[in-house]
Amino acid sequence: MSKPIIHQDTKLGWLKAMQQHPLMIAGPCSAETEEQVLTIAHQLKDTTTTVFRAGIWKPRTRPGSFEGVGAVGLKWLQRAREETGLKIAVEVANKAHVEQALLADIDVLWIGARSTVSPFIVQEIADAMNGTDKIVLVKNPVNPDVSLWMGAVERLQKANIKNLGVIHRGFSTYLKSKYRNNPEWQLAIDFQNHFPHLPLILDPSHMGGRRDLIFDLSQTGLDLNYDGLMIETHTDPDNAWSDAAQQITPATLKQLFKKLQVRSIDADAADFKIKIKNLRKQIDTIDSQILSNLGSRMKIADEIGRLKNENNVAILQMERWNEVLERMKTASKNQNLSEEFITELFKAIHQESIEHQHTIIKNKP
Ligand code: PEP
Ligand code: MN
């Protein structure tokens, strides 16, 4: 983490007005029938839910799946709000959705991952929302591109939308992983560093894609000081019309919320402060040593670069690189470091060495 995480007090005012930490947004992936919406909303009323979500216009990756009930769902949501006092949230993906949602006085409008990827659609949505005091939440784009996410927020800020927040729902990858959408926590932390005042909400449902992953993801979010959770909830998850595998019942949501550890940003105890200061000093010293060791390693790589140049030898030596990587992967086990981390780290170090050696060869033909 490159910068300290910001305390909730510095967040936009709408979050404080919700008077809940972490803010809990729950409800079905899709509104299916009026009865389904009302039953779930009533059951969520007894949990710690503050905002009731339900998609009525569903962006499906492929045609042929259930695409949502459409505008009629707005009335069901209004009724759910009247009967339960919960705030209501829907996804909007174009100008017509925004107009209808605003007309229906929906409290929270969110922009889905498939919309955030498109500057044209985000601009259309921003124009349609211009100046609204409704809460607008922007999901991260499908692909791991923080600047697209930032661009979407900036378009909304330019349209004078003040009550903004973001939702981290993970990123799709080409490689198979246990998650439906890879968390890439560092991307959300980078994003948070650019917009420290924007409330950051985690969507462990779309991230995990499986109900058994929701608890651990939610706890990680709270450990990273996220401001809220958006969790898909259904009375009959297995028979949900969309995203069945990732929905949980309101009863499970209640248990999950009880089990979650909500962390505070800091502790006042003098003992804590002394101990953490001491540990952080040790970390700072080790970080300096890592940096100076990397510098020394790079000087030797430069030396090798000169030698290769004098002898007209290619920079990349696959055999040597594989040998280094394998040795470090094996050694990582004794240090309690994951193979993935060591692989990424050494790939980056190797890349830097190659760039150094390229510079040497370019400058001394
Ligand atoms: C949703 O929240 O129902 C949804 C479609 O999510 P995402 O945009 O994250 O895929
Ligand atoms: Mn869904």
Side-chain angles (χ1 to χ4, degrees), residues 213-245:
L213 296 175
I214 292 178
F215 177 78
D216 281 350
L217 286 168
S218 301
Q219 187 59 61
T220 304
L222 295 187
D223 293 345
L224 295 174
N225 206 33
Y226 278 52
D227 302 295
L229 298 169
M230 183 194 247
I231 299 182
E232 284 189 340
T233 320
H234 197 290
T235 37
D236 184 7
D238 284 334
N239 291 307
W241 296 5
S242 56
D243 288 351

Side-chain angles (χ1 to χ4, degrees), residues 29 53 58 180 206 232 242-243 246:
C29 176
R53 64 148 281 157
K58 298 303 298 177
R180 179 177 174 191
H206 291 90
E232 284 189 340
S242 56
D243 288 351
Q246 70 196 33

Side-chain angles (χ1 to χ4, degrees), residues 87-239:
K87 295 199 183 306
I88 48 179
V90 288
E91 172 172 355
V92 288
N94 62 33
K95 180 172 182 245
H97 297 165
V98 173
E99 286 170 355
Q100 293 174 80
L102 291 180
L103 207 65
D105 194 30
I106 301 294
D107 306 295
V108 178
L109 282 60
W110 85 82
I111 298 178
R114 290 164 195 74
S115 302
T116 311
V117 290
S118 163
F120 284 125
I121 207 69
V122 172
Q123 192 59 52
E124 177 181 316
I125 292 172
D127 291 340
M129 283 177 174
N130 201 306
T132 183
D133 56 3
K134 297 297 180 195
I135 295 162
V136 179
L137 304 176
V138 187
K139 285 202 172 195
N140 69 255
V142 173
N143 52 327
D145 183 342
V146 174
S147 52
L148 266 179
W149 200 5
M150 285 166 44
V153 165
E154 285 158 2
R155 283 176 201 279
L156 293 162
Q157 284 174 331
K158 280 199 172 145
N160 207 16
I161 292 151
K162 291 168 217 75
N163 297 325
L164 273 174
V166 290
I167 303 174
H168 177 205
R169 50 77 86 190
F171 303 88
S172 56
T173 50
Y174 175 67
L175 294 173
K176 276 255 161 294
S177 105
K178 74 171 175 174
Y179 302 108
R180 179 177 174 191
N181 292 292
N182 252 352
E184 312 286 2
W185 297 105
Q186 192 56 46
L187 291 191
I189 291 165
D190 279 356
F191 184 91
Q192 166 103 333
N193 277 331
H194 280 98
F195 295 102
H197 305 296
L198 286 190
L200 174 61
I201 289 159
L202 182 73
D203 173 347
S205 306
H206 291 90
M207 191 176 271
R210 276 173 26 197
R211 59 182 72 99
D212 61 316
L213 296 175
I214 292 178
F215 177 78
D216 281 350
L217 286 168
S218 301
Q219 187 59 61
T220 304
L222 295 187
D223 293 345
L224 295 174
N225 206 33
Y226 278 52
D227 302 295
L229 298 169
M230 183 194 247
I231 299 182
E232 284 189 340
T233 320
H234 197 290
T235 37
D236 184 7
D238 284 334
N239 291 307

Side-chain angles (χ1 to χ4, degrees), residues 30-45:
S30 303
E32 297 165 6
T33 63
E34 182 167 24
E35 193 198 344
Q36 173 246 17
V37 165
L38 293 173
T39 312
I40 299 174
H42 276 280
Q43 291 192 14
L44 285 174
K45 198 178 160 232

